[in-house]
Amino acid sequence: MAEDAVRHAAPQRTTVLDRMGGPLGSMYSTVPVLVFLAADAFFSLSTTVVVSLATALALTGFRLLRGESLTAALGGVAGVAVVAGVVVWTGAATGVLPGGIWVALVVAVAVTGTVSSRRR
């Protein structure tokens, strides 16, 4: 009987922060960016890339120790690796900015469309 009540309970609404993995999920995506920017201000490009990848790997280890899925943890490393690849390919940290701006624009349009279609 209690099992039926749980199964038929109203679904809980999740926030955007919940979908990002909560406060820790937000941190996982922010820390590598901040480390990259700080390292770029003080070190050479190759050192900046190494520091960024090391930070992503450290966060991956932390996530695995917390019992999070391997796929989610490696996704963060993959994102940093793609950015590092673009930086190495272009030879400048600013080479990442135009692509990031366009990706952010596409994501913003997609989110706006999705949210507006659910409100009708």
Side-chain angles (χ1 to χ4, degrees):
M1 184 72 171
E3 190 175 306
D4 288 336
V6 171
R7 196 176 313 147
H8 295 292
Q12 293 182 351
R13 298 199 98 162
T14 58
T15 65
V16 173
L17 185 60
D18 291 334
R19 291 180 184 188
M20 287 178 49
L24 281 178
S26 179
M27 183 213 49
Y28 297 147
S29 61
T30 304
V31 167
V33 173
L34 294 177
V35 168
F36 181 86
L37 292 173
D40 186 49
F42 296 105
F43 301 114
S44 68
L45 194 58
S46 59
T47 304
T48 298
V49 168
V50 169
V51 168
S52 299
L53 288 171
T55 301
L57 289 171
L59 283 173
T60 298
F62 176 73
R63 293 175 81 170
L64 292 175
L65 286 174
R66 292 191 71 238
E68 296 184 29
S69 74
L70 179 64
T71 305
L74 290 179
V77 173
V80 173
V82 167
V83 170
V86 170
V87 166
V88 169
W89 183 47
T90 61
T94 56
V96 178
L97 294 177
I101 291 169
W102 285 109
V103 168
L105 177 63
V106 168
V107 169
V109 168
V111 167
T112 302
T114 303
V115 169
S116 64
S117 69
R118 294 184 85 192
R119 300 250 181 220
R120 293 180 191 180

